[in-house]
Amino acid sequence: MNFGKSERGGKMNKKQIEQALRDYNWMINEIKRQREMLASVGSSVVSKIDDMPKGKGITGDPVAMEVIRRDKKSKWIEKLENKVLFIQKRIHIITDEREKAVLECMLDGMSMIAISHHMGLSRRHIYNIKESIVDKIAHFAHNSHDSTKEKQCV
């Protein structure tokens, strides 16, 4: 897996990290939902895509179309998993108590306004804390050269 990589293969930039933090909660929920769905339906249909003929154009076979749809969905879920793992493997670098609180609220799906009300801080202050979190994650990702992959294999 390419932790810290964008879909095009480059490192995640600050904007992508910020988006992954904002999307974390729904991505987790979607990954769970898709895994439950695949477990109940069975993944044997998806594995049969390799056995199917590779004709040109679009097939009219509804079963083949469903296999293709599930294969695309599987690849999409893998991208979501990579983004979630990218964040999860870098949570430990946030050590400041306020930053930890803001990060946890963000990961739980709270809006910046809700976090500011919850913590009794101005929205501007919460945005500044969020920027600090994104900067630290980006700095760690840039300097670590994906050392998290090495730790994972140990």
Side-chain angles (χ1 to χ4, degrees):
M1 289 187 200
N2 295 327
F3 301 114
K5 302 282 185 175
S6 71
E7 293 176 20
R8 289 178 281 158
K11 292 275 187 196
M12 284 182 80
N13 62 36
K14 289 181 183 181
K15 187 175 182 179
Q16 291 168 322
I17 292 168
E18 185 176 344
Q19 189 65 48
L21 288 171
R22 261 196 312 268
D23 293 346
Y24 182 90
N25 188 262
W26 75 257
M27 288 191 296
I28 287 287
N29 290 334
E30 186 61 16
I31 291 166
K32 281 193 277 188
R33 186 181 78 82
Q34 292 296 332
R35 284 183 178 172
E36 289 169 3
M37 194 234 21
L38 286 173
S40 67
V41 174
S43 58
S44 61
V45 176
V46 175
S47 66
K48 292 181 181 179
I49 195 164
D50 293 330
D51 300 334
M52 301 204 64
K54 307 289 191 276
K56 294 181 181 176
I58 298 175
T59 179
D61 181 1
V63 175
M65 292 297 290
E66 180 62 13
V67 170
I68 292 167
R69 185 185 73 83
R70 289 184 186 193
D71 184 56
K72 287 179 182 177
K73 186 189 324 186
S74 176
K75 290 174 183 170
W76 175 63
I77 293 301
E78 187 176 333
K79 286 179 185 178
L80 294 182
E81 289 170 342
N82 286 339
K83 290 176 184 181
V84 166
L85 285 168
F86 176 84
I87 298 299
Q88 289 173 339
K89 291 191 172 287
R90 288 157 179 83
I91 289 173
H92 72 278
I93 66 168
I94 306 303
T95 56
D96 177 79
E97 294 302 320
R98 281 189 176 181
E99 288 178 353
K100 280 183 185 180
V102 170
L103 177 60
E104 288 300 325
C105 289
M106 288 178 70
L107 297 181
D108 289 340
M110 292 175 69
S111 69
M112 294 292 114
I113 294 170
I115 296 169
S116 85
H117 288 279
H118 169 69
M119 294 183 68
L121 300 170
S122 71
R123 285 188 303 192
R124 182 76 263 157
H125 195 119
I126 296 299
Y127 280 103
N128 289 340
I129 292 172
K130 179 199 64 167
E131 287 301 317
S132 176
I133 292 167
V134 170
D135 287 344
K136 286 179 181 180
I137 291 173
H139 181 74
F140 179 82
H142 176 73
N143 289 337
S144 71
H145 300 297
D146 287 333
S147 64
T148 53
K149 282 199 292 189
E150 295 169 12
K151 291 178 187 173
Q152 177 187 1
C153 296
V154 174

